[in-house]
């Protein structure tokens, strides 16, 4: 009798466990169905891109090819690293991106792109005109091509992130990413409010003898404004070649170089320039090289670029 009751107890527990497993599996399936329905709800999607063309994407892309590093960085930041199957020769961030199939540099390899069978190609307005014929061939074989806007300020970057988010079914992640970027910038702004005296800054985007700098209506000018610094070339427009005598006369407090990745000892070269001995930045040895990608690529890391500039220009506040 005792054995019978023991057996009965084990049987009851086993049935209960199986029922629990059944409910668990059923719950998992329900959750999966909800996710799939939400995914289907977002597609097909039709949207106008930066080339003013309506792009229709039938389903959530499972294979994405990116033609420019900023698009790649946005895609990875949205959690699409596994979906990205091809990137440009210039892609180097994040580390996983460098391991993806390469599809060319200034000239794209059409055969390679088509062989990857992408559901979506992320192009860019800065290069779309030169690649117009190639992009059209991709469209002709049925591959959706989205031309992302050429961002010139933070709001434009947010637009790029929203566009890629919508095209890939990651709009929610896009909004979260933008909110995080805005918070970090707001925190910076709070800190720079303590600064009473603005420092004058020269940003060199190419070395001597032909020194190019960044004027008004450029990303880096907006970055300097954001951290309460004065761009000595703000009275000129865009990317400009500035006369050395004019730069010396402006007497910057800080000189930022962005070409240390291809010029050895870039800061030392600036510090040893003849005729610059009386410039405040030279006298105080305030010449700092920062990573070009973080201040020029119009993606999520642009916030890190602002932070880099803030630390370089106002170390007494940010370090």
């Amino acid at each position: 009798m005792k054995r019978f009751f023991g057996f009965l107890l084990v049987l009851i527990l086993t049935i209960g466990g199986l029922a629990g497993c059944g409910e668990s599996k059923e719950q998992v399936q329900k959750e999966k169905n909800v996710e799939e329905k939400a995914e289907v709800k977002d597609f097909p999607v039709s949207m106008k891109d930066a080339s003013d063309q309506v792009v229709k994407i039938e389903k959530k892309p499972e294979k994405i090819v990116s033609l420019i590093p900023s698009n790649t960085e946005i895609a990875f930041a949205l959690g699409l690293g596994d979906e990205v199957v091809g990137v440009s020769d210039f892609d180097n961030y994040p580390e996983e991106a460098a391991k993806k199939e390469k599809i060319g540099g200034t000239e794209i390899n059409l055969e390679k792109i088509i062989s990857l069978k992408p559901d979506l190609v992320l192009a860019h307005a800065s290069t779309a005109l030169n690649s117009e014929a190639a992009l059209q061939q991709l469209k002709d074989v049925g591959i959706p091509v989205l031309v992302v806007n050429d961002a010139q300020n933070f709001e434009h970057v947010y637009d790029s992130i929203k566009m890629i988010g919508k095209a890939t079914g990651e709009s929610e992640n896009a909004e979260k990413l933008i909110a995080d970027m805005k918070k970090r910038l707001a925190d910076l702004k709070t800190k720079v409010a303590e600064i009473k005296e603005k420092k004058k800054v020269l940003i060199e985007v190419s070395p001597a003898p032909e020194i190019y700098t960044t004027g008004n209506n450029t990303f880096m000018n907006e970055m300097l404004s954001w951290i309460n610094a004065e761009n000595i070339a703000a009275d000129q427009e865009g990317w400009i070649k500035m006369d050395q005598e004019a730069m010396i006369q402006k007497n910057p407090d800080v000189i930022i170089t962005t070409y240390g990745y291809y010029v050895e000892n870039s800061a030392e070269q600036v510090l040893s320039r003849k005729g610059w001995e009386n410039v405040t930045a030279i006298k105080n040895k305030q010449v700092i090289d920062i990573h070009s990608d973080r201040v020029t690529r119009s993606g999520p890391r642009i916030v890190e670029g602002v932070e880099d500039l803030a630390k370089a220009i106002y170390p007494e506040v940010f370090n």
Side-chain angles (χ1 to χ4, degrees):
M1 184 65 73
K2 284 182 180 177
R3 286 182 181 177
F4 173 75
F5 281 116
F7 171 76
L8 186 61
L9 180 61
V10 170
L11 183 63
I12 290 169
L13 290 172
T14 302
I15 293 170
L18 289 172
C21 289
E23 286 175 9
S24 177
K25 286 178 182 176
E26 188 179 336
Q27 182 62 30
V28 168
Q29 187 59 46
K30 280 181 182 177
E31 289 174 1
K32 188 177 179 184
N33 290 341
V34 168
E35 286 177 7
E36 287 175 354
K37 283 178 183 177
E39 189 177 292
V40 171
K41 187 179 72 174
D42 291 334
F43 293 91
V45 62
S46 292
M47 54 194 296
K48 191 172 281 190
D49 70 3
S51 65
D52 210 32
Q53 298 295 309
V54 175
V55 181
K56 188 172 183 180
I57 304 164
E58 296 292 343
K59 63 184 182 69
K60 182 174 173 61
E62 295 176 357
K63 291 184 177 181
I64 300 169
V65 167
S66 171
L67 305 185
I68 198 167
S70 57
N71 285 348
T72 304
E73 293 194 17
I74 291 172
F76 270 85
L78 293 177
L80 296 164
D82 291 339
E83 285 81 356
V84 174
V85 294
V87 298
S88 82
D89 294 349
F90 308 117
D91 279 74
N92 56 7
Y93 186 89
E95 192 176 322
E96 307 93 274
K99 299 173 186 174
K100 300 289 183 177
E101 293 283 348
K102 300 297 183 182
I103 51 78
T106 50
E107 290 187 13
I108 59 176
N109 186 334
L110 277 175
E111 289 184 7
K112 182 67 176 179
I113 295 172
I114 292 169
S115 73
L116 293 172
K117 299 179 180 178
D119 306 306
L120 177 66
V121 168
L122 296 174
H124 199 262
S126 64
T127 57
L129 193 59
N130 294 335
S131 307
E132 191 172 5
L135 296 181
Q136 186 57 52
Q137 288 184 59
L138 293 174
K139 295 175 186 177
D140 290 342
V141 297
I143 299 172
V145 176
L146 184 77
V147 179
V148 179
N149 61 308
D150 184 14
Q152 298 299 320
N153 55 49
F154 288 106
E155 287 301 324
H156 290 169
V157 174
Y158 302 149
D159 290 341
S160 300
I161 294 170
K162 287 177 185 176
M163 184 183 290
I164 293 175
K166 184 176 180 180
T168 58
E170 298 294 339
S171 290
E172 188 175 335
N173 281 340
E175 292 298 337
K176 288 178 182 176
L177 178 59
I178 292 167
D180 178 65
M181 291 171 69
K182 287 182 175 179
K183 183 183 181 305
R184 288 171 68 178
L185 286 172
D187 291 343
L188 269 178
K189 198 135 192 171
T190 300
K191 210 159 189 178
V192 297
E194 305 168 15
I195 297 165
K196 303 302 178 187
E197 288 187 28
K198 283 186 179 183
K199 287 186 181 179
K200 293 186 292 181
V201 181
L202 165 65
I203 294 183
E204 294 189 5
V205 293
S206 67
E210 294 192 340
I211 302 172
Y212 274 81
T213 187
T214 172
N216 194 26
N217 289 322
T218 61
F219 238 126
M220 282 191 261
N221 184 67
E222 186 182 9
M223 289 176 173
L224 290 177
S225 298
W226 198 272
I227 58 171
N228 208 13
E230 180 186 337
N231 179 9
I232 68 164
D235 57 340
Q236 300 184 61
E237 290 288 317
W239 303 89
I240 48 171
K241 185 170 76 171
M242 199 169 177
D243 177 69
Q244 287 201 39
E245 195 57 46
M247 288 185 274
I248 292 169
Q249 193 173 357
K250 295 272 189 178
N251 192 27
D253 300 301
V254 180
I255 297 173
I256 302 292
T257 64
T258 63
Y259 45 80
Y261 66 99
Y262 70 91
V263 173
E264 194 174 350
N265 300 322
S266 57
E268 286 81 356
Q269 287 191 31
V270 176
L271 287 167
S272 61
R273 277 182 194 155
K274 290 181 180 179
W276 286 62
E277 296 85 358
N278 293 321
V279 172
T280 302
I282 304 299
K283 288 193 293 185
N284 295 335
K285 295 187 177 180
Q286 291 300 296
V287 181
I288 304 101
D289 187 77
I290 62 174
H291 201 301
S292 175
D293 292 349
R294 289 154 71 108
V295 291
T296 57
R297 286 187 184 172
S298 51
R301 285 199 299 162
I302 209 76
V303 176
E304 294 176 28
V306 184
E307 292 169 344
D308 290 346
L309 284 169
K311 290 171 185 175
I313 297 166
Y314 295 112
E316 65 278 8
V317 177
F318 289 93
N319 291 341

